[in-house]
Amino acid sequence: MATHVSSQFSDAYDNTLSASERRRFEAHCETCAACAEQFANYNASLNAVHALPKARMPRRVHIPATAPGHAQSSPWWQRLVAPRWATGVAVVAAVVLVVVAQRGQTVPSQNNAVSSGGNPKVQAPLGAAASPGGEKASTADTTSCGLLLVEMPTATPAQGFAHQTVVTDPTRPQQQLVLALADATSTTLSPGEAVNVYAVLSAPLAGVSRPGSAPLPAVAVHYSACVAWMGPTGSALTSPVSASHDVESIRVPAGIASGTKVTLVAQIPADVPQAGNAAITAALDITIAK
Amino acid sequence: MDDEALLDRARHGDRDAFSTLVIRYQDELYTMALRLLGSPADAADVVQETFLRAYVNVQKLRGVTVRAWLYRVAINAAHDVRRRTTRHPTMALEDEETGVINLPDAELGPEATTLAREQVAAVRSALLAIPEEFRVAVVLRDVNDLSYEEMAHALGIPVGTVKSRLSRGRALAAEHLRTSSALFAAEGES
């Protein structure tokens, strides 16, 4: 229903009417019940729009491996780098986003990843399972290992899970690969059981602040690891699955005899987050229950 | 560090600087896209597309603020996502609340919480019911709190046109909400 001053409602709401316009508007509303009511409803409606909850981006933003705005002669998707370890794993999209964080640190090239805790095994790059087996509850892209997960609110990696292993590399001591069972009460799991796995490489990133102002708190940049199940002889029971969220649901392989020792392995590929970084691997020993 | 300094560093190859811009703006761009498209998945695609495009075109920003530029890229990305997606906007509040960081007050009683949820659903529905051209204006102003000038830069139109679209969009939203019992029952109780 058109009213006398409805065309001014938006400006009135924003307080952008001039002083004289405002006086005339208010004077009219004092004498016109229809306009007064309609403006009241208008206000309530816009207040409700303003009150809509803010949302948080639910996925990590991935950015390319090349420098920002780098001069390009080919489409951006052709310049994305595929993980070198992915031999034998089907690449669905043919492109993978890998980010090399530049923090001014020079990292000498070494070939050994050293475990500071948990299982000290050094794993070869994770490849496809030799024989079909196990189920993946997750639908994560297997080509997404080593993806930069941009936002983390704390400088320290999330730990404190009851069953976890933390692996570091002496060439980059501030970074930690944490592999954990997020909700499990023990490391004895049933065949086919779905478990929540946390597999993340955490790299502290100093806060950026305006010169002269208080420094912003440091945050941690997380990189997604790939996880896979390995049998007692080291054979792959499942193909790697990317833990593209901090906690990923995966299934214990089915059809394994009770009492068998299997290993849950998480791996960050080489050159993540910087070229020259060796692959880093963490492993948890799991016992198959009845 | 302000946006322009970060962008300048990004132009010189500093990926961390660009990452800081991502952290700074991803949530508000996601909120905008969510209110424009109604689908959390599409909104997330828009944000990802926005920062990819911004990353590639970081040398091209001239004459507008970083914020307005990112919004312009995001609005274009939202248009593209909407054209190519076959998804339909979801009305399930559960989908949205996985990413919402300002949920109804936990201290509210069940009845008030239900009313708050219904109000949110009514407002979401009203926004999605108005034509896109006007919906964008309302979302940018009343959801994302952009100034008229920022809106003009983001939309590539004069401020006068911004005001005109905003006025029309707001009137349409208010008309849709006029019959909302969830909204005006809450107002009547306050």
Side-chain angles (χ1 to χ4, degrees):
Chain A
M1 181 180 70
T3 59
H4 299 139
V5 293
S6 61
S7 63
Q8 293 184 308
F9 280 2
S10 187
D11 286 327
Y13 184 83
D14 282 344
N15 279 322
T16 54
L17 292 173
S18 67
S20 59
E21 287 173 332
R22 187 82 199 183
R23 283 194 297 272
R24 284 195 296 273
F25 180 87
E26 291 176 349
H28 178 85
C29 288
E30 286 175 1
T31 60
C32 179
C35 286
E37 181 185 0
Q38 191 171 1
F39 187 60
N41 291 339
Y42 186 95
N43 263 295
S45 297
L46 292 187
N47 289 343
V49 175
H50 277 274
L52 278 174
K54 304 303 181 190
R56 184 181 294 280
M57 175 65 170
R59 302 196 312 240
R60 272 65 177 183
V61 174
H62 306 304
I63 56 179
T66 53
H70 182 70
Q72 294 127 15
S73 58
S74 54
W76 62 265
W77 53 267
Q78 290 183 354
R79 295 181 302 281
L80 302 178
V81 177
R84 287 186 293 168
W85 62 267
T87 302
V89 177
V91 177
V92 175
V95 292
V96 167
L97 301 178
V98 174
V99 177
V100 177
Q102 291 181 336
R103 296 300 302 154
Q105 300 168 349
T106 56
V107 178
S109 175
Q110 289 194 7
N111 294 321
N112 297 318
V114 177
S115 168
S116 66
N119 194 310
K121 294 177 189 173
V122 175
Q123 295 286 344
L126 296 178
S131 58
E135 295 177 46
K136 295 196 296 289
S138 166
T139 56
D141 184 357
T142 58
T143 63
S144 303
C145 303
L147 283 179
L148 171 66
L149 308 176
V150 177
E151 177 189 2
M152 278 298 128
T154 175
T156 56
Q159 295 188 34
F161 299 106
H163 306 286
Q164 68 172 26
T165 182
V166 180
V167 175
T168 58
D169 180 336
T171 63
R172 33 177 172 158
Q174 290 183 308
Q175 298 176 15
Q176 294 182 332
L177 173 59
V178 178
L179 170 62
L181 301 180
D183 301 310
T185 56
S186 78
T187 55
T188 300
L189 302 174
S190 300
E193 178 181 353
V195 292
N196 291 324
V197 174
Y198 178 90
V200 169
L201 176 73
S202 177
L205 181 70
V208 181
S209 60
R210 187 174 304 167
S213 65
L216 294 174
V219 297
V221 181
H222 282 188
Y223 298 87
S224 58
C226 272
V227 294
W229 293 95
M230 312 293 281
T233 61
S235 59
L237 297 176
T238 62
S239 296
V241 174
S242 169
S244 59
H245 302 84
D246 272 0
V247 178
E248 196 76 25
S249 176
I250 63 173
R251 289 197 182 275
V252 179
I256 301 179
S258 168
T260 302
K261 304 282 188 185
V262 298
T263 306
L264 179 64
V265 176
Q267 188 174 83
I268 293 287
D271 299 326
V272 175
Q274 287 184 306
N277 286 157
I280 185 168
T281 303
L284 276 176
D285 287 332
I286 303 296
T287 302
I288 299 299
K290 293 181 181 178
Chain B
M1 191 174 295
D2 63 24
D3 290 348
E4 279 64 37
L6 287 171
L7 190 72
D8 189 59
R9 291 177 68 161
R11 286 198 185 108
H12 288 88
D14 188 339
R15 276 186 286 267
D16 290 341
F18 190 88
S19 295
T20 302
L21 287 173
V22 172
I23 293 170
R24 192 172 288 183
Y25 285 107
Q26 61 179 347
D27 288 340
E28 65 179 272
L29 293 179
Y30 176 75
T31 299
M32 178 203 72
L34 183 62
R35 301 306 173 203
L36 285 182
L37 301 176
S39 162
D42 288 349
D45 287 348
V46 166
V47 174
Q48 174 65 68
E49 189 81 17
T50 296
F51 285 111
L52 276 176
R53 293 182 186 184
Y55 194 85
V56 170
N57 294 296
V58 71
Q59 306 290 353
K60 297 180 181 178
L61 170 59
R62 293 289 183 273
V64 295
T65 64
V66 173
R67 188 183 192 214
W69 175 60
L70 287 174
Y71 271 92
R72 175 184 288 185
V73 176
I75 290 166
N76 290 335
H79 186 67
D80 292 342
V81 167
R82 183 175 43 251
R83 276 192 306 176
R84 71 172 179 243
T85 189
T86 56
R87 296 177 184 133
H88 299 286
T90 63
M91 291 304 299
L93 193 59
E94 293 76 15
D95 288 338
E96 186 171 330
E97 285 192 318
T98 55
V100 168
I101 58 173
N102 185 21
L103 293 172
D105 193 332
E107 294 181 355
L108 291 177
E111 190 175 327
T113 299
T114 300
L115 194 60
R117 289 174 183 264
E118 290 174 356
Q119 179 171 318
V120 169
V123 175
R124 290 171 62 212
S125 179
L127 284 178
L128 291 173
I130 64 179
E132 177 190 340
E133 179 182 48
F134 306 120
R135 185 188 325 143
V136 170
V138 174
V139 169
L140 290 181
R141 179 71 176 177
D142 295 318
V143 175
N144 288 92
D145 297 319
L146 266 66
S147 67
Y148 293 148
E149 289 70 26
E150 286 175 322
M151 291 172 65
H153 285 306
L155 295 171
I157 57 178
V159 170
T161 308
V162 166
K163 289 187 167 187
S164 174
R165 291 186 187 179
L166 180 63
S167 178
R168 181 69 179 138
R170 282 171 161 178
L172 289 170
E175 182 60 28
H176 279 286
L177 287 168
R178 186 171 61 84
T179 57
S180 169
S181 59
L183 176 62
F184 290 98
E187 291 297 313
E189 290 171 2
S190 64

